[in-house]
Amino acid sequence: MSDPFSVRVTVRGYETDVQGHLNQSVYINYAEHARWSLLRAAGITQAELIGRGVGPVALETTIRYRRELVAGDEVDVSCVFEWSGGKTFHIEQTVTKADGTVAAELTAVGGLLDLTARRMVAAPQDVFRELATDPALFGL
């Protein structure tokens, strides 16, 4: 099996809290950045999603903090889509320090919203497969 898609991010000082740790809300920003980077790498843009009349939605996110991150740390944020065949999908993400230490694990539940009907798309994997130039990045 190939390595999961990932992007490199450097922790910036303004993203840290009073203890000097990466602020908890920033982990979600990093995860979102990795997800949109994966979409772009697979050939899907926000404009294409809107043109198709759909938009990704986050339904649930769980973060498990493993090790602290501080300003200047370089991390890789991975992104793996898991398809259940229903209206939702899971996204597994790991934030890994440059030395290989796992700093955080995120699990998210998402879906695609039909922007006109305001209902979840029945088979989101089909839309990703249709729009992507490289659907393999989604495990499709």
Side-chain angles (χ1 to χ4, degrees), residues 74-96:
E74 288 193 345
V75 296
D76 293 310
V77 185
S78 68
C79 187
V80 176
F81 279 67
E82 297 176 354
W83 306 97
S84 64
K87 293 181 180 181
T88 63
F89 48 86
H90 285 83
I91 306 170
E92 297 293 330
Q93 296 184 264
T94 305
V95 179
T96 307

Side-chain angles (χ1 to χ4, degrees), residues 66-69 75 94-104:
R66 298 293 197 166
R67 294 289 182 272
E68 67 181 356
L69 293 176
V75 296
T94 305
V95 179
T96 307
K97 296 170 94 170
D99 69 3
T101 303
V102 173

Side-chain angles (χ1 to χ4, degrees), residues 53-55 57 87 111-122:
V54 298
V57 292
K87 293 181 180 181
L112 282 179
L113 182 68
D114 180 311
L115 299 175
T116 302
R118 307 306 286 179
R119 301 262 185 234
M120 299 296 286
V121 171

